[in-house]
Amino acid sequence: MRYRSTRGDAARPRFCDILLEGLAPDGGLYVPEDYPQVDTATLARWRRIYHEQGYAELAFEILSLYIDDIPADDLRALLRRTYTAEVFGTGEIVPLRHLEDGLWLEALSNGPTLAFKDMAMQLLGQLFEYELARRGETLNILGATSGDTGSAAEYAMRGKRGIRVFMLSPHGRMSPFQQAQMYSLQDSNIHNIAIEGVFDDCQDIVKAVSADLDFKRRWRIGTVNSINWARLLAQVVYYFAGWIQATERDDERVSFAVPSGNFGNVCAGHVARMMGLPIAQLVVATNENDVLDEFFRTGVYRVRSSADTFETSSPSMDISKASNFERFVFDLLGRDAAQTRALFGEALARDGRFDLSAHPAFAHARERFGFVSGKSTHANRLATIADAWQRFGVMIDPHTADGVKVAREHQQPGVPMIVLETALPIKFAATIQEALGREPERPAKFAGIEALPKRVRVMPPEVERVKAYIETVCRAG
Ligand SMILES: *Cc1c(COP(=O)(O)O)cnc(C)c1O
Protein backbone atom coordinates (compact mmCIF):
# COMPACT_ATOMS: atom_id res chain seq x y z
CA MET A 1 0.00 0.00 0.00
CA ARG A 2 1.21 3.46 -0.96
CA TYR A 3 0.00 6.76 0.48
CA ARG A 4 -0.58 10.13 -1.14
CA SER A 5 -1.18 13.70 -0.05
CA THR A 6 -4.66 15.21 -0.35
CA ARG A 7 -3.02 18.21 -2.08
CA GLY A 8 -1.28 16.35 -4.89
CA ASP A 9 2.38 16.00 -3.81
CA ALA A 10 4.11 13.52 -6.17
CA ALA A 11 5.65 11.29 -3.46
CA ARG A 12 4.08 7.87 -2.77
CA PRO A 13 5.43 6.86 0.69
CA ARG A 14 4.67 3.63 2.51
CA PHE A 15 3.23 3.24 6.01
CA CYS A 16 6.46 3.47 8.05
CA ASP A 17 7.60 6.52 6.05
CA ILE A 18 4.58 8.49 7.27
CA LEU A 19 4.30 6.90 10.75
CA LEU A 20 6.55 9.48 12.43
CA GLU A 21 5.48 12.42 10.22
CA GLY A 22 2.73 15.01 10.52
CA LEU A 23 1.57 16.83 7.40
CA ALA A 24 2.71 15.95 3.87
CA PRO A 25 5.37 18.34 2.46
CA ASP A 26 2.68 20.29 0.54
CA GLY A 27 0.61 20.83 3.71
CA GLY A 28 -1.93 18.10 2.86
CA LEU A 29 -2.87 14.99 4.81
CA TYR A 30 -1.81 11.48 3.91
CA VAL A 31 -4.49 9.07 2.69
CA PRO A 32 -4.19 5.56 1.24
CA GLU A 33 -3.99 5.45 -2.55
CA ASP A 34 -7.16 3.40 -2.54
CA TYR A 35 -9.38 1.73 0.03
CA PRO A 36 -9.01 -2.07 0.12
CA GLN A 37 -12.45 -3.61 -0.54
CA VAL A 38 -14.02 -6.27 1.66
CA ASP A 39 -16.87 -8.47 0.41
CA THR A 40 -19.51 -10.38 2.37
CA ALA A 41 -17.34 -13.51 2.52
CA THR A 42 -14.50 -11.51 4.11
CA LEU A 43 -16.91 -9.91 6.57
CA ALA A 44 -18.14 -13.38 7.53
CA ARG A 45 -14.55 -14.54 8.06
CA TRP A 46 -13.73 -11.46 10.17
CA ARG A 47 -16.85 -12.06 12.26
CA ARG A 48 -15.56 -15.56 13.10
CA ILE A 49 -12.06 -14.25 13.81
CA TYR A 50 -13.35 -11.62 16.26
CA HIS A 51 -15.53 -14.15 18.10
CA GLU A 52 -13.00 -16.99 18.14
CA GLN A 53 -9.60 -15.29 18.24
CA GLY A 54 -10.35 -11.81 19.52
CA TYR A 55 -9.92 -8.12 18.76
CA ALA A 56 -6.14 -8.18 18.16
CA GLU A 57 -6.55 -10.77 15.38
CA LEU A 58 -9.34 -8.74 13.78
CA ALA A 59 -7.06 -5.69 13.97
CA PHE A 60 -4.32 -7.69 12.24
CA GLU A 61 -6.65 -8.61 9.35
CA ILE A 62 -7.56 -4.95 8.78
CA LEU A 63 -4.21 -3.26 9.43
CA SER A 64 -2.22 -5.70 7.30
CA LEU A 65 -4.19 -4.42 4.28
CA TYR A 66 -2.65 -0.98 4.89
CA ILE A 67 0.81 -1.88 6.25
CA ASP A 68 3.17 -3.85 4.03
CA ASP A 69 6.50 -2.64 5.39
CA ILE A 70 6.33 -4.38 8.78
CA PRO A 71 6.71 -8.18 8.64
CA ALA A 72 3.37 -9.91 9.36
CA ASP A 73 4.65 -11.73 12.45
CA ASP A 74 5.97 -8.50 13.95
CA LEU A 75 2.72 -6.65 13.27
CA ARG A 76 0.68 -9.46 14.78
CA ALA A 77 2.90 -9.49 17.90
CA LEU A 78 2.58 -5.69 18.28
CA LEU A 79 -1.21 -5.92 18.08
CA ARG A 80 -1.38 -8.80 20.57
CA ARG A 81 0.70 -6.80 23.04
CA THR A 82 -1.56 -3.75 22.56
CA TYR A 83 -5.13 -5.04 22.72
CA THR A 84 -5.20 -7.15 25.89
CA ALA A 85 -7.88 -7.65 28.52
CA GLU A 86 -5.38 -6.39 31.13
CA VAL A 87 -5.05 -3.01 29.39
CA PHE A 88 -8.66 -2.60 28.17
CA GLY A 89 -10.57 -4.27 30.98
CA THR A 90 -12.50 -6.92 28.99
CA GLY A 91 -11.77 -9.67 26.46
CA GLU A 92 -14.08 -7.98 23.94
CA ILE A 93 -11.94 -4.80 24.22
CA VAL A 94 -14.88 -2.70 22.88
CA PRO A 95 -18.02 -4.35 24.37
CA LEU A 96 -21.46 -3.23 23.21
CA ARG A 97 -24.05 -2.28 25.82
CA HIS A 98 -27.75 -1.98 25.09
CA LEU A 99 -29.28 1.36 26.10
CA GLU A 100 -32.80 1.43 24.61
CA ASP A 101 -34.80 0.15 21.66
CA GLY A 102 -32.45 0.07 18.65
CA LEU A 103 -29.70 2.05 20.40
CA TRP A 104 -26.39 0.71 21.70
CA LEU A 105 -23.29 2.13 23.33
CA GLU A 106 -19.89 0.87 22.17
CA ALA A 107 -17.39 1.19 25.04
CA LEU A 108 -14.13 2.67 23.76
CA SER A 109 -12.99 4.15 27.03
CA ASN A 110 -11.87 1.33 29.27
CA GLY A 111 -8.19 1.82 28.45
CA PRO A 112 -5.56 3.30 30.81
CA THR A 113 -6.82 6.92 30.65
CA LEU A 114 -10.56 6.22 30.28
CA ALA A 115 -11.05 7.96 26.91
CA PHE A 116 -11.24 6.53 23.39
CA LYS A 117 -7.88 8.06 22.46
CA ASP A 118 -6.23 5.09 24.20
CA MET A 119 -7.54 2.82 21.42
CA ALA A 120 -5.14 4.39 18.92
CA MET A 121 -2.46 5.84 21.17
CA GLN A 122 -1.63 2.51 22.83
CA LEU A 123 -0.86 1.07 19.39
CA LEU A 124 1.08 4.18 18.40
CA GLY A 125 3.37 3.65 21.40
CA GLN A 126 4.17 0.11 20.25
CA LEU A 127 4.65 1.18 16.61
CA PHE A 128 6.92 4.11 17.51
CA GLU A 129 9.14 1.98 19.77
CA TYR A 130 9.38 -0.71 17.07
CA GLU A 131 10.19 1.65 14.20
CA LEU A 132 12.66 3.81 16.16
CA ALA A 133 14.57 0.69 17.28
CA ARG A 134 14.64 -0.55 13.68
CA ARG A 135 16.12 2.77 12.54
CA GLY A 136 18.41 3.18 15.55
CA GLU A 137 16.80 6.58 16.25
CA THR A 138 15.23 8.36 19.21
CA LEU A 139 12.33 10.82 19.37
CA ASN A 140 11.24 13.60 21.71
CA ILE A 141 7.48 14.02 21.53
CA LEU A 142 6.31 17.57 22.26
CA GLY A 143 2.62 18.25 22.74
CA ALA A 144 0.01 20.50 24.29
CA THR A 145 -3.09 19.14 25.96
CA SER A 146 -6.26 20.29 27.62
CA GLY A 147 -6.81 16.79 29.00
CA ASP A 148 -7.49 13.59 27.06
CA THR A 149 -4.79 13.60 24.37
CA GLY A 150 -1.89 14.34 26.70
CA SER A 151 -2.69 11.66 29.19
CA ALA A 152 -3.37 9.07 26.46
CA ALA A 153 0.02 9.89 24.89
CA GLU A 154 1.86 9.68 28.22
CA TYR A 155 0.30 6.34 29.19
CA ALA A 156 1.13 4.97 25.72
CA MET A 157 4.75 6.17 25.71
CA ARG A 158 5.73 5.64 29.37
CA GLY A 159 8.73 3.36 29.70
CA LYS A 160 9.14 3.04 25.90
CA ARG A 161 12.75 2.83 24.70
CA GLY A 162 14.01 5.70 22.55
CA ILE A 163 11.08 7.98 23.37
CA ARG A 164 10.64 10.95 25.69
CA VAL A 165 7.44 12.96 26.11
CA PHE A 166 7.30 16.68 26.94
CA MET A 167 3.64 17.53 27.55
CA LEU A 168 2.45 21.10 28.15
CA SER A 169 -0.81 21.64 30.02
CA PRO A 170 -2.51 24.79 31.37
CA HIS A 171 -1.58 25.11 35.06
CA GLY A 172 -4.56 24.43 37.33
CA ARG A 173 -7.13 24.31 34.52
CA MET A 174 -7.71 20.60 33.95
CA SER A 175 -10.08 18.63 36.19
CA PRO A 176 -8.41 17.37 39.41
CA PHE A 177 -8.77 13.81 38.10
CA GLN A 178 -7.08 14.68 34.79
CA GLN A 179 -4.23 16.46 36.57
CA ALA A 180 -3.72 13.50 38.86
CA GLN A 181 -3.73 11.08 35.92
CA MET A 182 -0.90 12.89 34.17
CA TYR A 183 1.16 14.31 36.97
CA SER A 184 1.29 11.14 39.07
CA LEU A 185 3.30 9.30 36.40
CA GLN A 186 6.79 8.67 37.78
CA ASP A 187 8.38 7.28 34.59
CA SER A 188 11.70 8.98 33.86
CA ASN A 189 10.84 9.47 30.13
CA ILE A 190 7.67 11.47 30.87
CA HIS A 191 7.99 15.22 31.48
CA ASN A 192 4.95 17.23 32.53
CA ILE A 193 5.19 20.98 32.11
CA ALA A 194 2.36 23.06 33.59
CA ILE A 195 2.25 26.44 31.84
CA GLU A 196 0.95 29.46 33.76
CA GLY A 197 -1.64 30.29 31.11
CA VAL A 198 -4.47 28.76 29.07
CA PHE A 199 -4.46 25.91 26.56
CA ASP A 200 -3.85 28.32 23.64
CA ASP A 201 -0.62 29.49 25.33
CA CYS A 202 0.53 25.87 25.49
CA GLN A 203 -0.30 25.32 21.84
CA ASP A 204 1.45 28.53 20.79
CA ILE A 205 4.63 27.38 22.54
CA VAL A 206 4.52 24.00 20.76
CA LYS A 207 4.04 25.78 17.42
CA ALA A 208 6.94 28.17 18.12
CA VAL A 209 9.30 25.35 19.10
CA SER A 210 8.30 23.29 16.03
CA ALA A 211 8.81 26.31 13.77
CA ASP A 212 12.47 26.50 14.88
CA LEU A 213 13.67 23.88 12.37
CA ASP A 214 17.22 23.93 13.71
CA PHE A 215 16.08 23.16 17.23
CA LYS A 216 13.57 20.61 15.96
CA ARG A 217 16.21 18.69 14.00
CA ARG A 218 18.90 18.88 16.69
CA TRP A 219 16.65 17.51 19.42
CA ARG A 220 14.55 15.24 17.14
CA ILE A 221 11.22 16.81 18.11
CA GLY A 222 8.05 15.00 16.93
CA THR A 223 4.32 15.01 17.65
CA VAL A 224 1.42 12.60 18.08
CA ASN A 225 -1.43 14.80 16.90
CA SER A 226 -4.75 13.62 15.58
CA ILE A 227 -3.87 13.89 11.88
CA ASN A 228 -1.42 10.98 12.25
CA TRP A 229 -2.59 8.28 9.80
CA ALA A 230 -1.64 5.40 12.13
CA ARG A 231 -3.99 6.76 14.81
CA LEU A 232 -6.83 6.99 12.34
CA LEU A 233 -6.17 3.49 10.99
CA ALA A 234 -6.19 1.95 14.49
CA GLN A 235 -9.67 3.45 14.98
CA VAL A 236 -11.10 1.76 11.87
CA VAL A 237 -11.01 -1.60 13.68
CA TYR A 238 -13.65 -0.78 16.30
CA TYR A 239 -16.22 0.12 13.63
CA PHE A 240 -15.93 -3.45 12.36
CA ALA A 241 -16.01 -4.84 15.93
CA GLY A 242 -19.12 -2.75 16.72
CA TRP A 243 -20.92 -3.95 13.58
CA ILE A 244 -20.00 -7.60 14.35
CA GLN A 245 -21.50 -7.35 17.84
CA ALA A 246 -24.71 -5.57 16.75
CA THR A 247 -25.58 -7.85 13.80
CA GLU A 248 -26.06 -11.50 12.96
CA ARG A 249 -26.21 -11.41 9.16
CA ASP A 250 -23.28 -10.26 7.04
CA ASP A 251 -25.36 -7.89 4.91
CA GLU A 252 -27.08 -6.22 7.88
CA ARG A 253 -26.59 -2.48 8.16
CA VAL A 254 -25.92 -0.36 11.26
CA SER A 255 -25.42 3.37 11.87
CA PHE A 256 -22.81 5.00 14.08
CA ALA A 257 -23.17 8.24 16.06
CA VAL A 258 -19.86 9.87 16.91
CA PRO A 259 -19.16 12.72 19.38
CA SER A 260 -16.86 14.80 17.17
CA GLY A 261 -14.23 17.51 17.38
CA ASN A 262 -11.28 17.14 15.05
CA PHE A 263 -13.15 14.65 12.84
CA GLY A 264 -10.56 11.91 13.59
CA ASN A 265 -12.92 9.39 15.11
CA VAL A 266 -15.73 9.68 12.55
CA CYS A 267 -13.21 9.81 9.68
CA ALA A 268 -12.17 6.28 10.70
CA GLY A 269 -15.85 5.33 10.29
CA HIS A 270 -15.78 6.86 6.83
CA VAL A 271 -12.75 4.69 5.96
CA ALA A 272 -14.55 1.56 7.25
CA ARG A 273 -17.58 2.45 5.12
CA MET A 274 -15.41 3.06 2.03
CA MET A 275 -13.94 -0.42 2.55
CA GLY A 276 -17.42 -1.91 2.31
CA LEU A 277 -18.61 -2.21 5.92
CA PRO A 278 -22.42 -1.94 5.69
CA ILE A 279 -22.90 1.39 7.46
CA ALA A 280 -26.19 3.19 6.79
CA GLN A 281 -25.43 6.56 8.40
CA LEU A 282 -22.45 8.24 10.03
CA VAL A 283 -23.99 10.68 12.50
CA VAL A 284 -21.66 13.55 13.38
CA ALA A 285 -22.52 14.99 16.81
CA THR A 286 -21.01 18.32 17.86
CA ASN A 287 -21.42 20.50 20.93
CA GLU A 288 -21.87 24.30 20.80
CA ASN A 289 -18.70 24.39 18.66
CA ASP A 290 -20.68 23.36 15.60
CA VAL A 291 -18.22 23.82 12.71
CA LEU A 292 -19.01 20.34 11.41
CA ASP A 293 -22.77 20.43 11.95
CA GLU A 294 -22.88 23.71 10.05
CA PHE A 295 -21.05 22.13 7.11
CA PHE A 296 -23.26 19.05 6.88
CA ARG A 297 -26.41 21.18 7.13
CA THR A 298 -25.43 24.04 4.82
CA GLY A 299 -22.31 23.17 2.80
CA VAL A 300 -20.40 26.06 4.38
CA TYR A 301 -17.19 25.23 6.26
CA ARG A 302 -16.27 28.18 8.46
CA VAL A 303 -13.26 28.09 10.79
CA ARG A 304 -13.91 29.85 14.11
CA SER A 305 -11.66 32.41 15.80
CA SER A 306 -10.55 31.69 19.36
CA ALA A 307 -13.04 34.33 20.55
CA ASP A 308 -15.79 32.32 18.80
CA THR A 309 -14.65 28.99 20.26
CA PHE A 310 -16.68 28.22 23.37
CA GLU A 311 -15.46 26.51 26.52
CA THR A 312 -18.10 23.84 27.07
CA SER A 313 -18.87 20.96 29.39
CA SER A 314 -17.76 18.51 26.67
CA PRO A 315 -14.30 20.11 26.44
CA SER A 316 -12.61 17.50 24.23
CA MET A 317 -14.90 18.63 21.38
CA ASP A 318 -14.08 22.35 21.78
CA ILE A 319 -12.39 22.98 18.44
CA SER A 320 -12.15 25.97 16.12
CA LYS A 321 -11.46 23.83 13.03
CA ALA A 322 -11.61 20.10 12.36
CA SER A 323 -8.08 19.04 11.49
CA ASN A 324 -8.96 15.70 9.82
CA PHE A 325 -11.85 17.08 7.75
CA GLU A 326 -9.67 17.53 4.65
CA ARG A 327 -9.41 13.74 4.29
CA PHE A 328 -13.17 13.41 3.84
CA VAL A 329 -13.53 16.44 1.56
CA PHE A 330 -10.83 14.95 -0.69
CA ASP A 331 -13.01 11.85 -1.15
CA LEU A 332 -16.17 13.97 -1.48
CA LEU A 333 -14.56 15.86 -4.38
CA GLY A 334 -13.78 12.60 -6.17
CA ARG A 335 -10.17 12.68 -4.89
CA ASP A 336 -9.40 15.85 -6.85
CA ALA A 337 -6.17 17.17 -5.25
CA ALA A 338 -6.25 20.50 -7.10
CA GLN A 339 -9.74 21.29 -5.82
CA THR A 340 -8.80 20.15 -2.30
CA ARG A 341 -5.75 22.43 -2.33
CA ALA A 342 -7.85 25.34 -3.60
CA LEU A 343 -10.22 24.92 -0.64
CA PHE A 344 -7.88 24.06 2.25
CA GLY A 345 -4.63 25.62 1.06
CA GLU A 346 -6.06 28.78 -0.50
CA ALA A 347 -9.69 29.62 0.38
CA LEU A 348 -9.28 28.86 4.11
CA ALA A 349 -6.04 30.84 4.32
CA ARG A 350 -7.67 33.79 2.51
CA ASP A 351 -11.26 33.83 3.79
CA GLY A 352 -11.31 31.41 6.72
CA ARG A 353 -14.20 29.62 5.00
CA PHE A 354 -15.37 27.87 1.86
CA ASP A 355 -18.82 27.16 0.51
CA LEU A 356 -19.77 23.92 -1.26
CA SER A 357 -23.54 24.50 -1.06
CA ALA A 358 -23.82 24.93 -4.85
CA HIS A 359 -21.23 22.24 -5.66
CA PRO A 360 -22.76 19.04 -7.10
CA ALA A 361 -20.67 16.96 -4.66
CA PHE A 362 -22.31 18.45 -1.57
CA ALA A 363 -25.50 16.38 -1.96
CA HIS A 364 -23.28 13.27 -2.05
CA ALA A 365 -22.14 13.86 1.54
CA ARG A 366 -25.49 12.50 2.69
CA GLU A 367 -26.57 10.36 -0.25
CA ARG A 368 -23.36 8.56 -1.16
CA PHE A 369 -21.24 8.91 1.97
CA GLY A 370 -24.00 8.57 4.58
CA PHE A 371 -23.14 11.67 6.63
CA VAL A 372 -25.74 13.46 8.73
CA SER A 373 -25.21 15.71 11.74
CA GLY A 374 -26.63 17.52 14.72
CA LYS A 375 -25.55 19.58 17.71
CA SER A 376 -26.03 19.46 21.44
CA THR A 377 -25.88 22.12 24.14
CA HIS A 378 -25.04 22.15 27.85
CA ALA A 379 -28.74 21.84 28.71
CA ASN A 380 -29.15 18.90 26.27
CA ARG A 381 -26.10 17.22 27.83
CA LEU A 382 -27.44 17.50 31.38
CA ALA A 383 -30.87 16.25 30.34
CA THR A 384 -29.44 13.29 28.40
CA ILE A 385 -27.16 12.27 31.28
CA ALA A 386 -30.03 12.49 33.76
CA ASP A 387 -32.39 10.56 31.48
CA ALA A 388 -29.93 7.70 30.85
CA TRP A 389 -29.31 7.40 34.58
CA GLN A 390 -32.96 7.59 35.67
CA ARG A 391 -34.47 5.34 33.00
CA PHE A 392 -31.68 2.81 32.46
CA GLY A 393 -29.29 3.14 35.41
CA VAL A 394 -26.50 3.88 32.93
CA MET A 395 -24.08 6.73 33.66
CA ILE A 396 -22.64 8.40 30.56
CA ASP A 397 -20.07 11.15 30.21
CA PRO A 398 -20.87 14.57 28.67
CA HIS A 399 -19.28 13.77 25.26
CA THR A 400 -21.15 10.48 24.95
CA ALA A 401 -24.31 12.36 25.95
CA ASP A 402 -23.85 14.67 22.94
CA GLY A 403 -23.66 11.51 20.81
CA VAL A 404 -26.82 9.98 22.30
CA LYS A 405 -28.77 13.22 21.93
CA VAL A 406 -27.98 13.57 18.22
CA ALA A 407 -28.24 9.80 17.53
CA ARG A 408 -31.90 9.82 18.65
CA GLU A 409 -32.68 12.49 16.03
CA HIS A 410 -31.48 10.22 13.22
CA GLN A 411 -32.64 6.74 14.20
CA GLN A 412 -34.17 4.68 11.36
CA PRO A 413 -36.51 1.74 11.95
CA GLY A 414 -34.72 -1.62 11.78
CA VAL A 415 -31.21 -0.14 11.67
CA PRO A 416 -29.27 -0.52 14.94
CA MET A 417 -27.72 2.80 16.02
CA ILE A 418 -24.35 2.46 17.78
CA VAL A 419 -23.22 5.48 19.80
CA LEU A 420 -19.48 5.54 20.42
CA GLU A 421 -18.78 6.08 24.12
CA THR A 422 -15.71 8.31 24.05
CA ALA A 423 -14.94 8.80 27.77
CA LEU A 424 -16.00 7.62 31.22
CA PRO A 425 -17.97 9.96 33.53
CA ILE A 426 -15.27 10.04 36.23
CA LYS A 427 -13.11 12.28 34.00
CA PHE A 428 -15.80 14.99 34.07
CA ALA A 429 -17.10 14.77 37.62
CA ALA A 430 -18.31 18.38 37.91
CA THR A 431 -20.81 18.02 35.04
CA ILE A 432 -22.05 14.67 36.34
CA GLN A 433 -22.55 16.28 39.74
CA GLU A 434 -24.54 19.07 38.08
CA ALA A 435 -26.72 16.60 36.12
CA LEU A 436 -27.28 13.95 38.78
CA GLY A 437 -26.43 15.55 42.11
CA ARG A 438 -24.02 12.73 42.83
CA GLU A 439 -20.43 11.71 42.20
CA PRO A 440 -19.65 9.51 39.18
CA GLU A 441 -18.60 5.90 39.61
CA ARG A 442 -14.85 5.50 39.92
CA PRO A 443 -13.03 2.40 38.59
CA ALA A 444 -11.17 0.70 41.49
CA LYS A 445 -7.72 1.24 40.01
CA PHE A 446 -8.19 5.02 40.28
CA ALA A 447 -9.10 5.09 43.98
CA GLY A 448 -7.29 7.95 45.73
CA ILE A 449 -5.32 8.98 42.63
CA GLU A 450 -5.59 12.70 43.52
CA ALA A 451 -3.45 12.11 46.64
CA LEU A 452 -0.48 10.53 44.81
CA PRO A 453 2.81 12.46 44.62
CA LYS A 454 2.96 14.70 41.53
CA ARG A 455 5.83 15.03 39.06
CA VAL A 456 5.34 18.32 37.21
CA ARG A 457 7.33 21.48 36.54
CA VAL A 458 5.48 24.80 36.54
CA MET A 459 6.71 27.42 34.05
CA PRO A 460 5.69 30.85 32.77
CA PRO A 461 4.42 30.90 29.15
CA GLU A 462 7.86 31.54 27.63
CA VAL A 463 9.14 29.62 24.61
CA GLU A 464 12.79 29.99 25.63
CA ARG A 465 12.17 28.50 29.08
CA VAL A 466 10.56 25.41 27.53
CA LYS A 467 13.37 25.03 24.98
CA ALA A 468 16.02 25.34 27.70
CA TYR A 469 14.29 22.66 29.75
CA ILE A 470 14.09 20.25 26.81
CA GLU A 471 17.78 20.82 26.10
CA THR A 472 18.78 20.20 29.72
CA VAL A 473 16.84 16.94 29.90
CA CYS A 474 18.18 15.70 26.54
CA ARG A 475 21.79 16.55 27.42
CA ALA A 476 21.49 14.69 30.71
CA GLY A 477 20.72 11.59 28.59
C1 LIG B 1 -10.92 13.65 21.41
C2 LIG B 1 -12.28 13.41 21.94
C3 LIG B 1 -13.44 13.58 21.13
C4 LIG B 1 -13.37 14.11 19.71
O1 LIG B 1 -12.79 13.19 18.81
P1 LIG B 1 -12.27 13.69 17.37
O2 LIG B 1 -11.52 12.53 16.83
O3 LIG B 1 -11.38 14.87 17.65
O4 LIG B 1 -13.45 14.05 16.55
C5 LIG B 1 -14.68 13.29 21.68
N1 LIG B 1 -14.80 12.85 22.96
C6 LIG B 1 -13.73 12.67 23.76
C7 LIG B 1 -13.94 12.22 25.16
C8 LIG B 1 -12.43 12.93 23.28
O5 LIG B 1 -11.37 12.76 24.08
Side-chain angles (χ1 to χ4, degrees):
M1 172 67 76
R2 299 278 172 167
Y3 292 86
R4 55 177 292 183
S5 164
T6 50
R7 297 193 193 172
D9 188 74
R12 291 291 180 270
R14 295 164 80 182
F15 179 81
C16 289
D17 303 327
I18 62 171
L19 174 62
L20 302 167
E21 308 258 326
L23 296 173
D26 59 358
L29 304 186
Y30 286 113
V31 289
E33 249 192 338
D34 49 293
Y35 296 111
Q37 295 299 301
V38 294
D39 54 16
T40 315
T42 310
L43 287 172
R45 193 165 60 81
W46 287 0
R47 181 190 293 282
R48 275 199 308 281
I49 288 176
Y50 177 70
H51 285 311
E52 290 165 16
Q53 301 173 56
Y55 189 91
E57 286 300 320
L58 174 66
F60 175 76
E61 292 293 323
I62 297 168
L63 267 61
S64 57
L65 299 175
Y66 290 91
I67 304 175
D68 55 12
D69 49 352
I70 296 178
D73 288 347
D74 290 0
L75 182 61
R76 184 175 259 129
L78 284 176
L79 290 163
R80 284 195 184 146
R81 272 205 298 283
T82 304
Y83 297 111
T84 66
E86 291 71 52
V87 175
F88 287 97
T90 65
E92 292 103 333
I93 307 297
V94 291
L96 224 54
R97 184 161 44 154
H98 188 237
L99 188 70
E100 67 195 26
D101 222 16
L103 200 140
W104 305 75
L105 294 173
E106 183 172 359
L108 305 181
S109 37
N110 295 312
T113 73
L114 309 184
F116 90 96
K117 295 196 170 64
D118 289 328
M119 292 301 305
M121 210 67 93
Q122 285 288 314
L123 178 62
L124 206 64
Q126 297 284 350
L127 285 168
F128 273 27
E129 184 177 51
Y130 175 86
E131 183 60 15
L132 288 167
R134 197 157 75 159
R135 296 183 188 186
E137 290 175 10
T138 61
L139 186 70
N140 291 303
I141 294 167
L142 174 65
T145 189
S146 53
D148 292 342
T149 307
S151 56
E154 291 188 352
Y155 279 74
M157 303 297 169
R158 62 190 294 203
K160 292 280 186 296
R161 273 163 296 149
I163 303 175
R164 282 191 203 92
V165 177
F166 295 90
M167 191 57 66
L168 277 52
S169 52
H171 184 48
R173 283 175 189 265
M174 296 187 299
S175 77
F177 184 85
Q178 286 178 313
Q179 293 184 41
Q181 262 190 326
M182 285 180 60
Y183 302 162
S184 66
L185 286 181
Q186 299 297 327
D187 305 74
S188 63
N189 71 327
I190 303 296
H191 302 275
N192 284 303
I193 303 174
I195 296 291
E196 293 169 321
V198 295
F199 172 65
D200 280 339
D201 296 311
C202 301
Q203 208 159 27
D204 288 346
I205 295 172
V206 170
K207 281 189 194 145
V209 175
S210 302
D212 182 345
L213 294 182
D214 235 25
F215 185 89
K216 197 175 160 194
R217 210 165 301 129
R218 179 146 29 109
W219 302 111
R220 299 174 305 278
I221 304 290
T223 58
V224 288
N225 46 28
S226 80
I227 56 157
N228 183 291
W229 168 254
R231 273 181 70 178
L232 204 137
L233 180 59
Q235 294 168 180
V236 172
V237 180
Y238 54 69
Y239 284 88
F240 283 88
W243 170 81
I244 289 171
Q245 294 177 82
T247 60
E248 280 166 10
R249 292 193 332 270
D250 299 318
D251 58 353
E252 215 174 316
R253 296 191 312 162
V254 302
S255 293
F256 286 93
V258 187
S260 292
N262 275 318
F263 204 74
N265 198 354
V266 75
C267 195
H270 165 67
V271 172
R273 194 173 183 279
M274 295 300 281
M275 292 173 72
L277 184 66
I279 296 176
Q281 301 179 94
L282 288 164
V283 182
V284 177
T286 75
N287 63 19
E288 291 88 336
N289 297 292
D290 58 353
V291 187
L292 289 166
D293 179 44
E294 182 174 81
F295 174 79
F296 286 109
R297 275 187 301 104
T298 68
V300 174
Y301 182 70
R302 183 172 56 90
V303 170
R304 312 296 203 249
S305 67
S306 37
D308 288 334
T309 307
F310 307 109
E311 267 188 49
T312 76
S313 48
S314 45
S316 300
M317 294 156 62
D318 292 349
I319 49 104
S320 54
K321 62 177 176 45
S323 51
N324 272 291
F325 189 51
E326 183 170 341
R327 285 191 162 111
F328 166 67
V329 173
F330 178 67
D331 286 340
L332 184 64
L333 297 172
R335 306 204 118 202
D336 183 328
Q339 276 194 64
T340 308
R341 189 176 56 240
L343 295 181
F344 285 88
E346 288 146 31
L348 280 192
R350 194 180 54 233
D351 314 323
R353 72 199 289 280
F354 61 73
D355 182 351
L356 291 184
S357 59
H359 195 292
F362 177 58
H364 298 164
R366 177 186 289 256
E367 289 155 17
R368 279 199 206 152
F369 294 92
F371 275 95
V372 294
S373 71
K375 79 185 260 190
S376 167
T377 64
H378 181 68
N380 296 141
R381 223 164 280 141
L382 295 181
T384 308
I385 293 169
D387 170 72
W389 179 245
Q390 282 152 13
R391 283 201 295 149
F392 311 112
V394 173
M395 203 183 277
I396 56 176
D397 102 292
H399 306 78
T400 309
D402 290 335
V404 170
K405 187 263 179 187
V406 178
R408 285 177 175 151
E409 297 164 356
H410 291 283
Q411 265 183 289
Q412 296 169 319
V415 183
M417 174 70 77
I418 302 174
V419 180
L420 300 187
E421 176 190 72
T422 55
L424 291 196
I426 184 68
K427 294 195 88 167
F428 304 97
T431 303
I432 302 299
Q433 183 77 46
E434 190 181 345
L436 303 180
R438 57 178 287 162
E439 283 291 306
E441 302 142 349
R442 176 182 292 241
K445 64 182 172 180
F446 292 99
I449 179 179
E450 288 91 344
L452 293 176
K454 294 194 168 57
R455 196 165 160 275
V456 56
R457 190 167 286 250
V458 180
M459 277 183 213
E462 291 166 19
V463 177
E464 292 310 317
R465 286 284 293 273
V466 173
K467 278 182 170 171
Y469 179 66
I470 293 173
E471 236 179 286
T472 310
V473 170
C474 292
R475 279 188 203 284

